[in-house]
């Protein structure tokens, strides 16, 4: 009898341990919300430390689920909420959170503005712009990434974002003029078609250059372009 009780106790202990390890796995599962919410809060805290001050941009960054825009097979490659770029396939990356927040802050997007993004990539930056109330048009040259972004944007509730598979050098004339343009891949020179598609008073932010790149901020005033050089950066090239 005693033996049976010891045996039963052992079985109960084992199943308890098994259950505990299952629920532990669930908490740290790739899709587990609690864990990611904590990571997202830490990311936003880090952005504050790096002097991002725009509360609207910070709120958007704490609202959008960054891990949902990184293709699942890459989630284990680099922590999705760490302050670094993460691979998304096809030799492309999702920009580091600081750069996303910085460019968003600089553009100062207002609700209802029409915004063009060049380089949809994962769709994350487009989601941030949509979260700020912008009407977002985004162009991606790699069809597989454009498809991935469309899916991620739809499942995350940003189905109103329009993604075009095509060449960003041409812009999207049918929907121009734009209040703001954000380029997330680096051309050597400022693409003239994009300047043409910018509204009077509109602003554009883009990384410029090949090896030594700089963020450049443009504003169209009385048909002329005012240009300010900003941070040194490292983006993937804008291909032709
Ligand atoms: N904004 C993205 C990151 C972009 S990475 C995000 O939030 O995830 C840069 C993207 O620009 C890549 O996906 C690359 O394929 C795309 N790209 C490069 N050249 C392009 C071009 N000429 N037109 C459109 N997209 C281009």
């Amino acid at each position: 009898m005693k033996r049976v009780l010891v045996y039963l106790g052992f079985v109960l202990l084992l199943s308890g341990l098994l259950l505990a390890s299952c629920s532990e796995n669930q908490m740290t599962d790739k899709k587990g919300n609690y864990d990611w919410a904590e990571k997202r809060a830490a990311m936003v805290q880090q952005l504050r430390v790096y002097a991002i001050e725009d509360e609207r941009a910070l709120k958007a960054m704490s609202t959008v689920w960054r891990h949902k825009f990184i293709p699942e097979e890459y989630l284990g490659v680099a922590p999705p909420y760490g302050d670094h770029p993460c691979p998304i396939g096809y030799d492309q990356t999702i920009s580091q959170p600081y750069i996303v927040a910085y460019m968003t802050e600089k553009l100062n997007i207002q609700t209802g503005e029409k915004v063009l993004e060049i380089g949809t990539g994962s769709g994350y930056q487009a989601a941030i712009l949509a979260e700020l109330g912008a009407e977002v048009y985004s162009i991606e040259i790699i069809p597989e990434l454009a498809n991935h972004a469309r899916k991620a944007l739809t499942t995350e509730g940003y189905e109103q974002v329009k993604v075009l598979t095509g060449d960003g050098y041409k812009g999207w004339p049918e929907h121009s003029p734009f209040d703001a343009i954000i380029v997330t891949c680096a051309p050597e020179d400022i693409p003239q078609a994009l300047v043409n598609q910018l509204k009077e008073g509109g602003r554009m932010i883009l990384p410029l250059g090949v090896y030594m790149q700089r963020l450049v901020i443009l504003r169209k005033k009385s048909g002329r372009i005012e240009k300010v050089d900003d941070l040194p950066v490292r983006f993937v090239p804008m291909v032709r």
Side-chain angles (χ1 to χ4, degrees):
M1 183 62 187
K2 207 172 171 190
R3 262 198 190 167
V4 170
L5 280 178
V6 169
Y7 177 73
L8 260 179
F10 185 66
V11 168
L12 277 174
L13 184 73
L14 257 188
S15 40
L17 279 175
L18 203 66
L19 268 178
S21 80
C22 280
S23 57
E24 172 103 330
N25 275 344
Q26 264 169 21
M27 269 182 66
T28 56
D29 183 274
K30 280 177 188 162
K31 291 175 186 165
N33 302 341
Y34 172 72
D35 193 42
W36 293 127
E38 220 173 57
K39 298 268 185 280
R40 204 158 40 249
M43 174 189 80
V44 171
Q45 194 47 40
Q46 184 71 64
L47 294 174
R48 289 183 190 279
V49 171
Y50 288 163
I52 299 292
E53 290 173 345
D54 179 359
E55 287 301 327
R56 291 178 62 244
L58 289 166
K59 183 155 186 274
M61 301 279 300
S62 64
T63 305
V64 178
W65 288 16
R66 184 173 162 92
H67 64 284
K68 292 283 190 176
F69 289 88
I70 299 174
E72 246 177 60
E73 60 269 36
Y74 290 96
L75 268 179
V77 178
Y81 290 94
D83 198 37
H84 44 69
C86 297
I88 53 172
Y90 308 92
D91 287 331
Q92 306 302 323
T93 53
I94 176 173
S95 305
Q96 83 187 82
Y98 174 68
I99 290 294
V100 175
Y102 186 86
M103 290 173 89
T104 305
E105 181 173 67
K106 287 284 171 192
L107 275 183
N108 189 24
I109 302 298
Q110 299 304 312
T111 306
E113 284 191 320
K114 222 187 225 190
V115 182
L116 175 67
E117 179 193 28
I118 309 298
T120 318
S122 66
Y124 178 67
Q125 174 76 70
I128 296 285
L129 297 169
E131 193 58 47
L132 287 167
E135 189 181 322
V136 186
Y137 297 86
S138 187
I139 306 179
E140 171 56 52
I141 205 161
I142 300 177
E144 290 84 353
L145 281 179
N147 284 338
H148 160 81
R150 272 186 208 105
K151 273 191 212 133
L153 284 161
T154 302
T155 51
E156 291 310 294
Y158 305 103
E159 58 282 333
Q160 74 276 23
V161 172
K162 310 272 186 314
V163 177
L164 175 73
T165 307
D167 182 2
Y169 279 102
K170 297 183 184 144
W172 203 335
E174 296 87 337
H175 294 290
S176 68
F178 298 97
D179 295 286
I181 300 181
I182 177 170
V183 184
T184 63
C185 42
E188 275 182 60
D189 303 300
I190 299 167
Q192 189 55 43
L194 299 185
V195 174
N196 296 345
Q197 291 172 30
L198 203 55
K199 222 179 237 179
E200 171 63 28
R203 58 270 186 217
M204 167 150 70
I205 190 163
L206 73 163
L208 212 53
V210 184
Y211 298 107
M212 305 289 285
Q213 297 172 4
R214 270 199 177 274
L215 266 188
V216 169
I217 301 168
L218 308 178
R219 192 173 271 274
K220 201 176 201 177
K221 273 201 181 145
S222 318
R224 297 184 48 183
I225 289 297
E226 283 175 2
K227 173 170 168 274
V228 178
D229 282 355
D230 208 76
L231 292 186
V233 284
R234 191 95 192 97
F235 276 79
V236 296
M238 182 163 169
V239 298
R240 289 196 178 272

